[in-house]
Amino acid sequence: MAVMEDKARIIQEFVPGKQVTLAHIMANAAPQLFPKIGLMDKDAGSVGVLTLTPGESAIIGGDIAAKAANVELAYVDRFSGSLLLVGQLADVEAAVHSVVETLADVLGFTPCAITRT
């Protein structure tokens, strides 16, 4: 007879619908963060992190962000819905706000609160 061990099982699932599930701004991010997220040429600036569902909406969010402010699209993943923006604080704030507001007002997404550290 096999011995059963207690193991935690984590299941990740997305709720169907159009949602901004995370919108966070890191003002003047720690310099050691940049190489960890694949930005070897950066050592200062602010970072905006968004998670969107469905995942393909990260493409739309990236377009909105790039048109709204002078930010670098550091990462856009249409499978996970992750969007990572880098730039000066005012630009990152403008881009994140524009993405959340446009997705909510124009495309009917359910927004989340924009947070900041």
Side-chain angles (χ1 to χ4, degrees), residues 15-21 52-54 57 60 103-104 106-111:
V15 176
K18 300 182 296 186
Q19 299 178 329
V20 179
T21 56
L52 312 167
T53 57
S57 57
I60 299 166
L103 289 177
V106 176
L107 297 171
F109 277 54
T110 301

Side-chain angles (χ1 to χ4, degrees), residues 69-83:
N70 184 26
V71 292
E72 178 181 340
L73 300 177
Y75 186 72
V76 179
D77 186 351
R78 66 185 175 103
F79 299 107
S80 70
S82 298
L83 178 59

Side-chain angles (χ1 to χ4, degrees), residues 11-115:
I11 299 172
Q12 179 180 358
E13 63 182 88
F14 291 104
V15 176
K18 300 182 296 186
Q19 299 178 329
V20 179
T21 56
L22 174 70
H24 186 76
I25 299 163
M26 290 180 273
N28 304 312
Q32 59 268 38
L33 177 68
F34 293 99
K36 298 292 185 184
I37 58 176
L39 299 174
M40 305 309 181
D41 62 333
K42 300 278 184 210
D43 59 5
S46 296
V47 177
V49 181
L50 294 107
T51 306
L52 312 167
T53 57
E56 294 83 2
S57 57
I59 299 165
I60 299 166
D63 182 60
I64 295 166
K67 290 175 179 175
N70 184 26
V71 292
E72 178 181 340
L73 300 177
Y75 186 72
V76 179
D77 186 351
R78 66 185 175 103
F79 299 107
S80 70
S82 298
L83 178 59
L84 187 65
L85 312 171
V86 178
Q88 295 300 313
L89 178 58
D91 290 319
V92 171
E93 284 181 325
V96 170
H97 282 275
S98 185
V99 170
V100 173
E101 291 168 6
T102 303
L103 289 177
D105 296 344
V106 176
L107 297 171
F109 277 54
T110 301
C112 69
I114 298 171
T115 56

